[in-house]
Amino acid sequence: MSEPNANAIPSTRAANRSRTHKLTISAMLSGVAFLLMFIEFPIPALIPSFVKLDVSDLPELLAAFSLGPVYGIVVTFLKNLLFSVLHGTSSAYVGELFNFVMGSVFSFSAGYIYSRNKSRKGALIGAVVGAALMAVLSVPFNYLLVYPAYVVCYGLPLDAIIGMYQAILPSSDSLIKCLTIFNMPFTFFKGMLDVVLCFLIYKPLSPLLHK
C-alpha cells in the first residue's frame, strides 16, 4: 500500500480556507448589495421617475474581479433572494428576475474578460463590455417581459407609460423607441457609474477581498 501524501493535507487545508474565504466574502458583498438596493433615486429630467438609479451592482463587480466571474453571479443571486424574502415583490418577481439577469450579464462578462487579462486595462475593457451588454439586452427584456408585467401588476396602461416618456421627448411614441432612446443609455450609464466606483474603492478593499 502506498503511504499518504504528506503534501496533500496542507494543500487540502489551503483549498478549504480559500473556499471558505470566497463564500464569506460573497455573503458579505451580497448583504451590502441588498442594502444598496434601497438607496435609489430618480433622474426625472432624463428618464421617467419610475426608473431609478442605484449602485447595487457594485458589489457584484467587486466579487467578479476579486473572486472570479461565477462569484459575481452568486452575489447577484443572493442579493435578489434577500430582497425577495425580506422585502417582498410588487411585480410577481419579474423585477427581481430582470435585476438578476442584468447583474449576472454585467458582472460575469467583466469578470471573465478580466480573468483572461489580469491588468487594469483588462478590468476596464471587461467592465465596459459588461455594461454595454447589459444595456443592449435590457431592451428586449424590458419590451418582452418587464413592462408587460408592470402593466398587469400595477394596472397601468401601456399608453400611460409611454406618455411619461413623451413628456420628456414627444417623438418617443412607441415602447421600443422609449426603451432604446432612454433605458438603454441609462442602463449603460448606471453600469459605468458602478465601474467608476469600483475602480475607486477596489484597491483600498483589496486586502479584505483577497485574504
Side-chain angles (χ1 to χ4, degrees):
M1 296 178 64
S2 61
E3 295 183 0
N5 187 348
N7 293 326
I9 296 177
S11 176
T12 302
R13 288 176 179 170
N16 288 336
R17 283 197 300 269
S18 176
R19 190 179 302 112
T20 301
H21 167 76
K22 288 182 176 181
L23 292 175
T24 302
I25 295 300
S26 296
M28 180 191 71
L29 291 174
S30 300
V32 173
F34 164 70
L35 294 176
L36 288 175
M37 292 183 79
F38 293 93
I39 305 173
E40 56 180 12
F41 51 90
I43 309 179
L46 299 178
I47 196 166
S49 59
F50 67 86
V51 182
K52 295 180 174 62
L53 180 68
D54 69 79
V55 292
S56 65
D57 290 332
L58 173 59
E60 303 153 20
L61 200 58
L62 291 169
F65 283 149
S66 61
L67 307 177
V70 173
Y71 286 91
I73 297 177
V74 170
V75 171
T76 310
F77 174 76
L78 292 177
K79 173 190 77 173
N80 282 283
L81 179 63
L82 283 170
F83 189 84
S84 299
V85 172
L86 299 179
H87 179 269
T89 181
S90 58
S91 60
Y93 300 102
V94 171
E96 290 74 25
L97 175 63
F98 175 75
N99 188 289
F100 168 69
V101 173
M102 293 298 103
S104 297
V105 168
F106 180 35
S107 59
F108 183 85
S109 300
Y112 179 79
I113 293 175
Y114 175 68
S115 70
R116 297 290 178 172
N117 179 15
K118 290 196 173 184
S119 65
R120 192 175 182 84
K121 181 180 179 181
L124 179 60
I125 293 173
V128 172
V129 169
L133 285 174
M134 180 173 65
V136 171
L137 290 175
S138 71
V139 174
F141 268 88
N142 273 315
Y143 185 80
L144 297 173
L145 181 64
V146 178
Y147 278 60
Y150 285 170
V151 169
V152 174
C153 293
Y154 296 115
L156 189 63
L158 188 58
D159 288 343
I161 296 176
I162 295 174
M164 296 179 189
Y165 287 95
Q166 287 184 304
I168 303 172
L169 183 66
S171 61
S172 53
D173 55 0
S174 68
L175 181 58
I176 194 67
K177 276 187 180 181
C178 297
L179 296 175
T180 304
I181 295 171
F182 290 94
N183 290 56
M184 185 164 66
F186 177 82
T187 302
F188 181 74
F189 169 77
K190 179 174 175 287
M192 291 309 299
L193 178 60
D194 290 318
V195 173
V196 171
L197 294 174
C198 180
F199 272 70
L200 288 175
I201 68 174
Y202 187 87
K203 190 173 181 179
L205 290 179
S206 187
L208 174 64
L209 297 173
H210 289 285
K211 287 185 180 179

